[in-house]
Amino acid sequence: MQTLTLTRPDDWHLHLRDGEALAAVLPDTARRFARAMVMPNLKPPVRTVAEAAAYRQRILAARPAGLAFEPLMTLYLTDHTSVEEVAKARRSGFVHAVKYYPAGATTNSDLGVSRIEKAYPAIEAMAAQDLPLLVHGEATDPAVDIFDREAVFIDRVLTPLLDRYPKLKLVLEHVTTRQGIDFVRAAGANVAATITAHHLLYNRNAMFKGGIRPHYYCLPVLKREQHRQALVDAAISGSPKFFLGTDSAPHARSAKECGSGCAGIYTAHAGIELYAEAFEAAAALDKLEGFASVFGAAFYGLARNPDTLTLVRAAWDVPADLDFGAGKLIPLRAGEAVNWKILES
Ligand code: DOR
Ligand code: ZN
């Protein structure tokens, strides 16, 4: 049987939610990943170091017994994030980045940044103190076509931002386009990107196969096949600028299957296995360890994990649904096979 042993991976972009949802989803991540960069878009969002400390404690309390998962916390950037809060975050030892949601771009982003200029003081402090800015890179101008939002955002916001702060550590989160990949490649070593498993495995046809498929809807939305191929090329390239971030984003079934369904795809139940599929399909399994376990930690200046995770090439069926507090959660591949599984130790 084919096996693959990796330095234990980390998830550099994850939504863990709170309360009973947190308790429902955390074990899936903690069984696979040693650490995860936890997104701050709760309601209300995690805007201060004190709020991040409290959220971190709730995550630690929800950890399954025997699993040493470490949450890496982020702050939610607003028009009012102060230079003092940035300095506090840098000193905290547990806040590792600040997340920039353009206001209105996605789930719980209403309190995000209305105009980037308003956040310049905070971003200037981040650049000076080496605290990374994690970017949801989509233009919010309603006149921009949804499939062009990433490319337009790069031109209108990211390029000028890096011209102004050339040393800023910046991660283009969940990159989805060839333009995004080109932007990251052309920038300095201070600029990187995370890539999700779903954007490596699917193109936009998945949202409409045989009818509208809300469980394939996320933001940034799935793109054309040529963009998926550009993401695969980047992920398997061995460049340390590209690393794993699942963007696993759970929503209750009722919030996805309705007149205005939420954006988000749940992948944590197969968080590393799906990447193994994508790398195998590209005949590049030997490149998975760098992408999943090495490059992200190096970018954030953190040590590699000391232990390993073993994957086995054996198909298993994903359950039709998962418990999610009072509701149900429909995972990616519900009722279908995943071709790799983790060897539980
Ligand atoms: O699909 C998404 N879901 N994209 C995001 O940017 C946010 C996320 C969420 O929190 O549900
Ligand atoms: Zn996200």
Side-chain angles (χ1 to χ4, degrees):
M1 191 144 55
Q2 192 183 354
T3 66
L4 183 64
T5 296
L6 308 171
T7 299
R8 186 172 291 278
D10 301 304
D11 183 351
W12 298 102
H13 184 125
L14 177 66
H15 298 272
L16 281 176
R17 313 303 191 209
D18 213 343
E20 55 182 17
L22 164 64
V25 299
L26 181 59
D28 281 342
T29 292
R31 272 199 278 274
R32 293 166 176 80
F33 298 99
R35 301 171 287 201
M37 196 64 79
V38 180
M39 293 301 123
N41 61 332
L42 303 182
K43 227 174 170 160
V46 179
R47 282 167 288 189
T48 66
V49 175
E51 287 163 350
Y55 184 30
R56 180 170 176 273
Q57 288 308 321
R58 297 198 295 279
I59 297 168
L60 293 176
R63 249 180 348 184
L67 290 175
F69 173 75
E70 187 189 353
L72 307 172
M73 308 311 291
T74 61
L75 296 189
Y76 183 109
L77 186 70
T78 74
D79 290 353
H80 313 289
T81 303
S82 70
V83 167
E84 293 73 40
E85 206 62 38
V86 169
K88 230 193 227 179
R90 174 78 288 180
R91 285 197 307 271
S92 72
F94 57 84
V95 175
H96 293 268
V98 176
K99 179 71 187 280
Y100 164 24
Y101 290 102
T106 187
T107 309
N108 295 342
S109 63
D110 349 339
L111 296 174
V113 176
S114 66
R115 288 168 45 84
I116 186 68
E117 294 78 8
K118 300 213 169 153
Y120 278 167
I123 293 174
E124 182 168 322
M126 292 171 60
Q129 295 169 50
D130 240 16
L131 189 63
L133 182 69
L134 314 185
V135 181
H136 182 106
E138 289 197 285
T140 51
D141 176 350
V144 177
D145 188 282
I146 187 167
F147 294 103
D148 297 334
R149 286 181 190 170
E150 185 171 287
V152 170
F153 184 85
I154 289 168
D155 289 344
R156 290 191 190 168
V157 180
L158 279 192
T159 301
L161 184 66
L162 277 177
D163 284 346
R164 189 177 175 101
Y165 304 111
K167 297 242 155 62
L168 178 67
K169 269 194 152 182
L170 186 149
V171 182
L172 179 54
E173 297 293 333
H174 40 56
V175 61
T176 61
T177 59
R178 181 177 48 73
Q179 291 92 331
I181 296 293
D182 290 347
F183 166 80
V184 171
R185 279 196 213 274
N190 54 315
V191 176
T194 53
I195 307 181
T196 78
H198 45 280
H199 289 102
L200 290 174
L201 289 166
Y202 298 98
N203 65 34
R204 65 193 197 178
N205 286 351
M207 283 186 295
F208 306 105
K209 197 174 152 199
I212 190 143
R213 303 270 205 136
H215 300 292
Y216 289 88
Y217 172 58
C218 63
L219 288 171
V221 73
L222 295 171
K223 301 295 192 301
R224 283 181 180 278
E225 177 61 12
Q226 66 177 71
H227 295 292
R228 189 192 70 82
Q229 284 173 10
L231 303 184
V232 170
D233 288 347
I236 68 170
S237 68
S239 163
K241 286 171 155 286
F242 300 101
F243 43 83
L244 185 157
T246 62
D247 197 17
S248 180
H251 291 278
R253 175 178 199 160
S254 56
K256 298 272 303 167
E257 298 177 8
C258 58
S260 176
C262 292
I265 298 181
Y266 186 70
T267 54
H269 64 295
I272 186 69
E273 298 91 322
L274 291 164
Y275 285 99
E277 274 193 11
F279 278 64
E280 182 184 31
L285 277 173
D286 60 318
K287 294 293 200 298
L288 182 59
E289 186 175 40
F291 177 83
S293 317
V294 177
F295 303 151
F299 182 85
Y300 285 105
L302 299 170
R304 272 183 220 181
N305 297 313
D307 59 334
T308 59
L309 177 75
T310 296
L311 293 162
V312 185
R313 197 175 190 303
W316 56 287
D317 282 335
V318 174
D321 56 39
L322 303 173
D323 289 336
F324 191 57
K328 287 286 183 187
L329 176 60
I330 308 296
L332 188 71
R333 293 274 173 87
E336 296 172 35
V338 168
N339 291 331
W340 287 81
K341 71 181 185 199
I342 53 169
L343 203 66
E344 303 258 7
S345 47

